[in-house]
Amino acid sequence: MYHLTALVTLLAIAFYFFTAINVSRLRTKTGVKVPAMSGHPDFDRAFRIQMNTLEWMPIFLPALWLFAVYIGDAIAAGMGVVWIIGRIVYFVGYSQAAAKRGTGFAIQVLAALVLWMGALGAVVLRLVK
């Protein structure tokens, strides 16, 4: 069973939902009316945080699950938590200033790469056996 990976998946989705709520909150606070996609620096940064998180989910989630299936639930979940921490650090930094997003971005990229490369390596090893 993959209970830990399932929990991390749900946490990642909850974090994404949080970013969507934050965009809505800042839309109201800054007066950026729908359907505008920009208009106030605080809103613009919140929107980019949400979109960047969405852009990474199709990379992160399949890699997370393939890693869990081919390598192990606990290790996958641990790397998934690192990815979420990276997204949180990204959120906090980018919310303050665009220049402060780098550390969080690097953490989540590293976690996603470990998951993707681990899954790829495990699949290839099974193919050549």
Side-chain angles (χ1 to χ4, degrees):
M1 286 294 177
Y2 304 98
H3 300 303
L4 295 173
T5 300
L7 179 59
V8 167
T9 299
L10 293 169
L11 290 173
I13 293 167
F15 177 74
Y16 178 72
F17 186 63
F18 168 77
T19 67
I21 291 169
N22 189 54
V23 168
S24 178
R25 180 184 68 81
L26 280 166
R27 203 177 263 291
T28 300
K29 180 180 176 184
T30 62
V32 177
K33 304 289 183 209
V34 172
M37 304 291 273
S38 66
H40 188 281
D42 292 343
F43 171 79
D44 295 348
R45 288 191 308 274
F47 184 73
R48 280 308 310 144
I49 291 165
Q50 181 195 16
M51 288 299 99
N52 188 263
T53 302
L54 179 62
E55 291 160 4
W56 275 91
M57 300 263 310
I59 297 166
F60 166 67
L61 289 173
L64 173 72
W65 278 94
L66 289 168
F67 191 103
V69 168
Y70 283 93
I71 296 175
D73 181 45
I75 300 169
M79 288 308 302
V81 168
V82 171
W83 186 86
I84 294 168
I85 289 168
R87 294 310 310 174
I88 292 168
V89 171
Y90 181 85
F91 175 91
V92 170
Y94 205 171
S95 292
Q96 296 169 5
K100 294 184 178 184
R101 71 190 192 281
T103 300
F105 189 81
I107 292 168
Q108 66 94 41
V109 166
L110 179 62
L113 283 174
V114 167
L115 290 166
W116 185 83
M117 291 185 333
L120 178 64
V123 169
V124 169
L125 282 175
R126 282 169 179 76
L127 285 173
V128 298
K129 280 186 178 180

